[in-house]
Amino acid sequence: MLHYFKIMNVGIIGAGTMGVGIAQVAATAGCKVVLFDANTPQIDKALSGLEKTLQKLVEKAKISQEKATEIKNNIVKGETLKDLKDSDLVIEAIIENKEIKTKVFTELETYVSDECIIGSNTSSISITSLGAELQKPERFIGIHFFNPAPLMPLVEVIPSLLTEKSLAEKIYNLMKDWGKTPVIAKDIPGFIVNRIARPYYGEGLRIVEENIATVEQVDEAMKTIGNFKMGPFELMDLIGVDVNFSVTTTVYKEYFYDPKYKPSLLQQRMSEAKLHGRKTGKGFYDYSEGAEKPVAQKDDALYQQIFLRIISMLINEAVEAKRLGVANDEDIELAMQKGVNYPKGLLAWGKEIGYSKISETLQNLYEEYQEERYRQSPLLRKI
């Protein structure tokens, strides 16, 4: 196995779902991993959870018992941040808070070598702003995995304005080496996936807030007509209503309050009520034992209207990302399919439906609402 620029020792900061998932990916690729979390009991919890996961993989004949043991043995517990001192690469996967992350990076730099690469798994904070606080910002880069990290193939590699030029390609190759599907993205709010995907949730919420359709109808429309694996509300419940709201709020602020990314009041109220979805047992759906899932009232015309409205918003975002050079066409298509399981690439989907139909749908919404939210990408109008 090729190990680009000798990445053998990997440090992971944060032993939550993402942290332990990334640790599993690195350990599977043969790296020695030190897993650290400021909350020490969390590391033990994460490692015992990982052991159960690996055992299930063995039972399903996905990996051998030897491989499971090797993965487990490749991960050790870090007692302090200083235990990451021998790392060739450190990936941070802690709370989405710039101040907390920066404080960790500042301390980390006092322990690791000058050659050590520092990466962040942030999903929405500017890589440039995080890296600017470092003594050596050229060694800092965004390495954004998707949840669950061992299963989701996509990794967004995001160089900052200060990242050393060749580093993105090195990390891109390393991620391939780790069995992932990497894409290189510009350091803009939400990068590729979280920027383009915002209307999937935002427009779904808007439709429900306006009593045009129910939660169940929106989900059903996207699954039956669009072939999406999950509707927006099911997906928000899975991600965490609070987490999804937080990402939307960050993207909205980072884009200087562009109305296109305006968060939803309904989602804010759900977050405040701690109706966070599956993890709390109740979100847009009830996950408590014996709870019956409501059935959507079928309405083909309404379903078509819902689908066209949401897909038009998504395709418009993909076209705008293309116009701004957020990533190349292939990476834009790949990112949405591999990062959030979209059934097709959005640029191809736009061609299939017809860009003129997308443009007309958005124009009608713009005239109805008189809101900047529905403005079209200048490139969409051209094509």
Side-chain angles (χ1 to χ4, degrees):
M1 182 178 279
L2 286 168
H3 282 285
Y4 296 88
F5 60 138
K6 296 198 181 82
I7 294 288
M8 290 305 297
N9 299 310
V10 176
I12 304 288
I13 305 172
T17 314
M18 283 310 292
V20 75
I22 298 166
Q24 183 186 331
V25 172
T28 305
C31 298
K32 297 288 181 198
V33 181
V34 178
L35 180 64
F36 168 75
D37 195 297
N39 174 12
T40 310
Q42 179 58 38
I43 309 175
D44 298 322
K45 189 180 158 193
L47 291 175
S48 79
L50 176 61
E51 207 164 327
K52 284 178 193 142
T53 302
L54 293 172
Q55 229 23 70
K56 276 182 197 156
L57 290 173
V58 171
E59 283 159 25
K60 289 179 183 169
K62 295 269 169 81
I63 57 171
S64 66
Q65 186 61 60
E66 293 75 32
K67 187 66 182 172
T69 308
E70 182 200 319
I71 294 167
K72 199 180 93 172
N73 292 343
N74 275 346
I75 304 173
V76 298
K77 180 177 161 183
E79 299 288 344
T80 67
L81 199 57
K82 196 175 182 177
D83 291 341
L84 274 58
K85 66 182 191 317
D86 297 327
S87 305
D88 304 313
L89 165 69
V90 174
I91 300 174
E92 161 276 315
I94 61 171
I95 187 168
E96 281 290 86
N97 177 301
K98 190 193 162 189
E99 286 68 34
I100 295 172
K101 286 183 192 287
T102 310
K103 192 165 176 273
V104 170
F105 295 140
T106 308
E107 188 188 338
L108 178 70
E109 266 199 316
T110 64
Y111 306 130
V112 296
S113 74
D114 284 355
E115 284 68 49
C116 176
I117 294 155
I118 300 174
S120 174
N121 183 58
T122 179
S123 57
S124 54
I125 302 171
S126 153
I127 303 299
T128 303
S129 76
L130 286 173
E133 308 292 329
L134 270 68
Q135 295 290 319
K136 288 175 72 69
E138 64 275 12
R139 60 147 102 203
F140 187 76
I141 194 162
I143 309 173
H144 180 220
F145 288 77
F146 287 75
N147 199 8
L151 296 179
M152 296 303 279
L154 188 77
V155 177
E156 291 177 322
V157 178
I158 312 110
S160 84
L161 291 178
L162 304 165
T163 304
E164 195 257 311
K165 290 283 177 275
S166 66
L167 188 54
E169 196 185 340
K170 286 176 180 172
I171 295 297
Y172 180 93
N173 288 332
L174 179 72
M175 290 302 114
K176 276 194 158 173
D177 193 24
W178 285 8
K180 291 296 172 190
T181 304
V183 292
I184 293 179
K186 244 189 197 174
D187 182 21
I188 56 140
F191 316 129
I192 305 172
V193 174
N194 277 321
R195 177 202 161 113
I196 295 175
R198 293 279 46 85
Y200 193 60
Y201 317 106
E203 214 47 32
L205 285 156
R206 172 66 82 97
I207 289 165
V208 169
E209 280 177 327
E210 294 185 359
N211 287 321
I212 294 167
T214 65
V215 162
E216 298 80 34
Q217 284 174 319
V218 173
D219 280 352
E220 207 52 34
M222 298 315 286
K223 287 191 293 184
T224 53
I225 300 176
N227 269 328
F228 284 87
K229 284 195 173 75
M230 296 176 101
F233 294 94
E234 290 172 314
L235 196 48
M236 282 186 273
D237 274 359
L238 178 69
I239 295 164
V241 176
D242 55 330
V243 173
N244 189 272
F245 177 64
S246 159
V247 173
T248 301
T249 307
T250 303
V251 171
Y252 181 53
K253 282 181 186 163
E254 295 264 329
Y255 272 115
F256 307 113
Y257 303 98
D258 184 332
K260 272 206 298 186
Y261 307 108
K262 191 177 178 180
S264 146
L265 269 176
L266 169 60
Q267 200 177 19
Q268 181 171 349
R269 293 290 170 267
M270 297 280 290
S271 298
E272 289 165 349
K274 299 200 169 22
L275 296 169
H276 295 164
R278 290 190 186 196
K279 62 185 175 187
T280 55
K282 203 169 182 188
F284 291 104
Y285 294 97
D286 190 344
Y287 300 93
S288 55
E289 211 176 319
E292 280 186 34
K293 195 173 178 183
V295 180
Q297 192 181 341
K298 202 168 187 316
D299 183 334
D300 290 339
L302 176 65
Y303 283 12
Q304 191 64 49
Q305 182 196 334
I306 292 166
F307 168 72
L308 195 56
R309 179 167 168 172
I310 293 175
I311 204 72
S312 296
M313 294 287 279
L314 286 169
I315 290 166
N316 188 45
E317 275 303 314
V319 170
E320 182 66 351
K322 171 187 167 81
R323 183 181 82 90
L324 297 173
V326 172
N328 62 39
D329 287 15
E330 190 190 340
D331 281 1
I332 288 171
E333 297 293 71
L334 204 55
M336 302 315 289
Q337 289 172 283
K338 300 288 188 186
V340 270
N341 269 327
Y342 281 15
K344 296 174 194 168
L346 291 168
L347 299 172
W349 216 337
K351 270 188 199 152
E352 194 182 295
I353 295 169
Y355 282 123
S356 55
K357 179 79 177 159
I358 303 300
S359 178
E360 184 194 326
T361 304
L362 291 168
Q363 191 56 37
N364 291 340
L365 286 164
Y366 186 77
E367 282 167 17
E368 183 182 342
Y369 289 100
Q370 298 290 299
E371 275 185 62
E372 275 295 294
R373 176 188 186 88
Y374 300 107
R375 73 177 186 273
Q376 295 174 54
S377 164
L379 182 58
L380 180 67
R381 285 181 173 278
K382 272 187 195 159
I383 58 177

